[in-house]
Amino acid sequence: MSLFPEDAPYRVLARKYRPSDFGALIGQDAVVTTLANAIRTNRLAQAWLLTGVRGVGKTSTARIIAKALNCIGPDGNGGPTIEPCGVCANCVAISAGQHIDVVEMDAASNTGVDNIREIIEAVRYASVSARYKVYIVDEVHMLSKGAFNALLKTLEEPPPHVKFIFATTEVQKVPATILSRCQRFDLKRVPVELLAEHFRKVAEAEGAAAEPEALALIARAAEGSVRDGLSILDQAIAQAGSGIVEAAAVRDMLGLADRGRIAALLGAILQADPQAALAAVDSAHGAGVDPQALISGLLDMLHQIVRSKMAGSTDPALPEGDRQAIQRWSTELSFPAMHRLWQLLLKGHAETGQAPQPQQAAEMAILRCVHAAGLPDPDRIAKLIESGAAVAPPSRPAADRAAPAPAPVASATALPQDAESIVALFENREAQLCRMLRDRVSISVQPDLLILGQLGDLPAGFAADVTKCLVEWTGQNWEVRIEAAAEGAESLYMIAERAKADAHERALEDPMVKALLAEFPGAELTEPKPPRAPALPQLRSATA
């Protein structure tokens, strides 16, 4: 049954159930204890600063303090008390916001020096009927710099009959000079469990029935704000009419995606199934689920999985089916995989909110998650690499072991003894001749004789150019002879390519490489390709 007669004007739940004493102020035990002890022992500061997010009880606490300081009891003979009676003239007038000595000012609309000057002038006069003049300034951070400066002296040494109570949601914007003159109390967000229980009592007082899951949904949506939660509960009761406040109706009202849809979508993502994931997204879109709310639901479920993995338990407010799914995924997923998925979803949530087509943005974000889920676990890859590092590489064939290593660049007076040293001699001096010697001929070196087996086109005068360079650089007489290449002869370039191919085949047989290729289907073992050499121009004989 309602607490008010049927002909009384309706008051929203947030106002109707505003706490009127410290006992009704939920979730703020530390603040209540400190303030109650200060009042009981008469250790009263000249100013208090109440901070916290919206709807946690800052203004209500300020009014309770004002009543506690000015309560005179039912018989009119009482003093300051931690349990204001609520029935004396002062308590009633303060609760109604009509007491002449308790002034509430909204700093958001009274920001200037003139507004503060009015307070400074008024504090000099004694209170009319209350024990203390109390000035409650809401959203005090909105005051201008000049207004703050004008208030400093009065705030530091106010008359003994004056108390200031400031409330703000953005304490970082309040000057340090003001903070140092106040006792600060931080009002916390109210825990979900405490909010759900409070909403259950309010629903009962309103004669309404509500499912526990529906109350839990409202409590989570309130984000620690009692006022926000009561506003949602008010709407949910109105939506239910004379029926029960159901979880499904609350989800629809809040625009939340059904948890069954969320679980199905998350399952498709973790299975790396793009068709199933897109089908789940289309189903949610057809049901009217907001795209950004869909990703929010995935974030919420993933957060529950991480907490379950860390704490070993799930939110008791969740349905049994959700708890079982969350516990299963918490054992199957690694932390790197969950953190990677969280970052992708968080980025997708922001993109969906900014995109001109939110549904398309949500689909693309979820497809990115599907692709990432199909990749190997980073931990597993790291372990494969770590274990592969301990695997000895296959032994090289005897022919490879016998192959000579490339010779260093010859000096100007050194006599080349083999093909590699001949090519090295030309490396930094005649780049075009060097490339032809490496790519288009086989090389046989004998004392003062260089036999070149022709494998490709050579310009006229090639032998003369090579001879001139060798004579000039070594000081020896050389004969350079060009002949038809013998069967099976190879240039240095061909020898190097064959060695590279053999090394590639050996690498494919390495256990670590095999394991990595198995983890990445369709991957290939490649190496950076050097820039392609430009076509060689026609050489002109050096003797011409």
Side-chain angles (χ1 to χ4, degrees), residues 81-103:
T81 175
I82 61 173
E83 298 178 352
C85 66
V87 296
C88 68
N90 287 341
C91 287
V92 171
I94 293 172
S95 296
Q98 298 174 350
H99 201 293
I100 193 173
D101 292 321
V102 177
V103 180

Side-chain angles (χ1 to χ4, degrees), residues 43-60:
R43 301 180 65 87
L44 302 175
Q46 77 274 17
W48 294 276
L49 176 66
L50 307 177
T51 75
V53 299
R54 67 194 185 281
V56 293
K58 300 183 295 296
T59 306
S60 297

Side-chain angles (χ1 to χ4, degrees), residues 191-253:
V192 171
E193 298 81 4
L194 196 57
L195 275 178
E197 176 61 20
H198 179 63
F199 297 156
R200 183 190 64 79
K201 295 178 180 178
V202 171
E204 288 182 357
E206 289 294 304
E211 293 179 351
E213 186 181 353
L215 295 175
L217 285 171
I218 295 173
R220 279 196 291 269
E223 298 181 344
S225 170
V226 182
R227 183 176 63 234
D228 286 8
L230 287 174
S231 297
I232 298 172
L233 178 62
D234 208 346
Q235 183 180 354
I237 293 174
Q239 184 187 53
S242 58
I244 298 175
V245 177
E246 298 177 345
V250 172
R251 285 194 188 95
D252 292 339
M253 183 184 72

Side-chain angles (χ1 to χ4, degrees), residues 234-522:
D234 208 346
Q235 183 180 354
I237 293 174
Q239 184 187 53
S242 58
I244 298 175
V245 177
E246 298 177 345
V250 172
R251 285 194 188 95
D252 292 339
M253 183 184 72
L254 296 176
L256 300 175
D258 181 74
R259 283 190 175 272
R261 297 182 190 276
I262 293 296
L265 177 55
L266 184 58
I269 290 174
L270 297 179
Q271 292 296 322
D273 188 341
Q275 287 79 17
L278 286 177
V281 173
D282 290 340
S283 175
H285 181 65
V289 178
D290 180 74
Q292 198 168 23
L294 186 67
I295 298 182
S296 295
L298 288 170
L299 284 166
D300 179 66
M301 183 160 284
L302 186 60
H303 178 252
Q304 294 286 347
I305 294 171
V306 175
R307 288 184 64 89
S308 176
K309 193 175 186 70
M310 290 294 297
S313 60
T314 56
D315 186 352
L318 295 175
E320 180 62 26
D322 288 351
R323 289 203 299 271
Q324 291 178 358
I326 287 171
Q327 288 173 350
R328 182 180 73 255
W329 282 325
S330 68
T331 58
E332 294 174 354
L333 295 175
S334 67
F335 281 117
M338 289 189 287
H339 293 324
R340 177 175 56 184
L341 186 56
W342 174 267
Q343 291 299 327
L344 289 171
L345 288 172
L346 202 61
K347 186 174 186 295
H349 185 272
E351 291 176 350
T352 303
Q354 299 171 359
Q357 295 292 335
Q359 181 66 18
Q360 295 176 1
E363 290 179 0
M364 295 302 295
I366 288 171
L367 286 176
R368 283 201 302 268
C369 295
V370 170
H371 174 73
L375 295 176
D377 192 313
D379 271 354
R380 186 176 180 184
I381 296 299
K383 290 176 182 177
L384 283 172
I385 295 174
E386 183 179 354
S387 61
V391 178
S395 60
R396 298 173 60 194
D400 290 338
R401 293 198 300 271
V409 176
S411 66
T413 59
L415 293 178
Q417 303 294 324
D418 51 32
E420 287 81 5
S421 59
I422 287 288
V423 173
L425 192 62
F426 283 78
E427 184 76 39
N428 296 321
R429 296 171 176 176
E430 288 288 346
Q432 294 177 342
L433 292 177
C434 177
R435 284 198 291 271
M436 291 184 182
L437 288 169
R438 184 182 63 239
D439 300 346
R440 301 183 183 182
V441 298
S442 62
I443 301 176
S444 175
V445 183
Q446 298 179 15
D448 298 332
L449 175 61
L450 185 63
I451 301 175
L452 305 177
Q454 187 170 351
L455 299 171
D457 295 336
L458 295 173
F462 179 70
D465 290 341
V466 174
T467 301
K468 180 182 178 181
C469 290
L470 288 175
V471 171
E472 179 182 343
W473 295 340
T474 65
Q476 300 291 326
N477 292 323
W478 284 83
E479 179 185 355
V480 178
R481 187 186 306 163
I482 299 178
E483 301 177 349
E487 185 178 354
E490 295 178 312
S491 67
L492 289 181
Y493 174 78
M494 296 166 64
I495 294 173
E497 287 298 304
R498 176 168 52 81
K500 187 187 298 182
D502 292 342
H504 185 82
E505 292 299 322
R506 291 196 304 273
L508 289 175
E509 296 301 319
D510 188 282
M512 179 182 70
V513 175
K514 284 185 174 182
L516 290 174
L517 291 177
E519 288 292 330
F520 292 90

